[in-house]
Amino acid sequence: MTPRVTGAVARRVLQQLRRDPRTIALIIGVPCLLEFLLQQLFGRNSTVFQHVGAPLLGLFPFVTMFLVTSITMLRERMTGTLERLMTMPLAKVDLLAGYGIAFALLAVVQATVVSLLAFGLLGLEVAGPQWVVVALAVANAVLGCALGLFVSAFAQTEFQAVQFMPAVVFPQFLLCGLFVARDEMATWLRWISAALPLTYAYDALARAAADMLDARFALDVAIVCGCIVLALVLGAATLRRRTA
């Protein structure tokens, strides 16, 4: 990987995003809206909001970044931009890393804005350090970005890219432990849950909110980071110098 080339790809993606204010509004505004609706639904001092508010603070960015990234990369493939880039002297890792860095920077802005809203105006409280929750929200957004880059290779249209939401994201939400504790799930569901990255992302957020920064928390973070790297590697493997 060449840092100069990777930086050039990242700058190109950021410039492209800057010319698309609707995408920026989606990335930053939707998680804020969802967190606000959650607080209004259960109440500012509700134990439900205080219990799930912090985990969802990190899970909402995962969803939006997955959707935006998968569609953005699909557009690059469909318009031939990706093919032209692949004819240049740059490695596949440079291309994927450039996209990852660009969306990671956007994820920092996203997580910061959502956190300021949740911990400030909405009155969300956590026992653990708030900065850890924010850092995990950024990591989850990057995870969504990496998975979006990977699954975009399997879509032929933007509609198909959107369809990956119920196929890839929603099962992870249901099985991560947010709605039902994993210990209470059927055995076969626990096995599936153990193979899903969002399970460890949720567990890390829940432990950070409860100030349980123990060895299990470190393991959760390590697995999430490993899944990010794996998704980027698999995404690079789907890139071809020539497209159909």
Side-chain angles (χ1 to χ4, degrees), residues 96-97 100 142 145-147 149-150 227-237:
L96 269 296
V142 175
C145 171
L147 290 177
L149 291 174
F150 171 57
C227 289
I228 292 173
V229 175
L230 178 61
L232 290 176
V233 171
L234 293 175

Side-chain angles (χ1 to χ4, degrees), residues 31-243:
C32 292
L33 175 62
L34 293 175
E35 196 74 21
F36 171 75
L37 291 176
L38 185 70
Q39 189 249 32
Q40 291 295 303
L41 182 63
F42 293 106
R44 182 185 185 93
N45 299 319
S46 168
T47 55
V48 175
F49 173 68
Q50 295 298 334
H51 178 69
V52 303
L56 288 178
L57 179 67
L59 298 184
F60 286 152
F62 170 87
V63 177
T64 56
M65 294 303 286
F66 175 90
L67 180 61
V68 170
T69 307
S70 60
I71 293 177
T72 299
M73 178 55 79
L74 178 63
R75 286 178 180 174
E76 299 282 55
R77 296 176 187 267
M78 294 175 59
T79 58
T81 302
L82 182 60
E83 184 176 1
R84 291 192 294 271
L85 288 173
M86 293 301 293
T87 62
M88 301 173 62
L90 79 166
K92 296 178 182 180
V93 177
D94 288 322
L95 184 62
L96 269 296
Y99 272 88
I101 291 172
F103 281 104
L105 293 175
L106 194 57
V108 172
V109 177
Q110 179 194 57
T112 301
V113 173
V114 177
S115 299
L116 289 174
L117 173 67
F119 293 126
L121 296 178
L122 301 184
L124 180 63
E125 298 178 357
V126 293
Q130 293 182 358
W131 70 269
V132 175
V133 177
V134 176
L136 290 174
V138 174
N140 289 341
V142 175
L143 176 61
C145 171
L147 290 177
L149 291 174
F150 171 57
V151 303
S152 67
F154 304 99
Q156 298 297 322
T157 64
E158 292 185 9
F159 179 70
Q160 290 180 0
V162 173
Q163 287 179 314
F164 277 111
M165 283 287 292
V168 177
V169 175
F170 292 168
Q172 296 194 63
F173 255 85
L174 294 175
L175 298 177
C176 70
L178 176 63
F179 299 102
V180 178
R182 295 183 63 230
D183 294 339
E184 300 176 6
M185 296 180 184
T187 302
W188 67 277
L189 289 177
R190 289 201 301 270
W191 290 346
I192 297 176
S193 177
L196 302 176
L198 205 63
T199 298
Y200 304 96
Y202 168 76
D203 191 59
L205 283 163
R207 289 178 179 275
D211 200 19
M212 298 173 58
L213 306 182
D214 50 11
R216 178 57 187 271
F217 170 81
L219 177 62
D220 289 334
V221 174
I223 292 176
V224 170
C225 293
C227 289
I228 292 173
V229 175
L230 178 61
L232 290 176
V233 171
L234 293 175
T238 66
L239 298 179
R240 297 292 183 266
R241 291 290 175 182
R242 294 181 180 178
T243 57

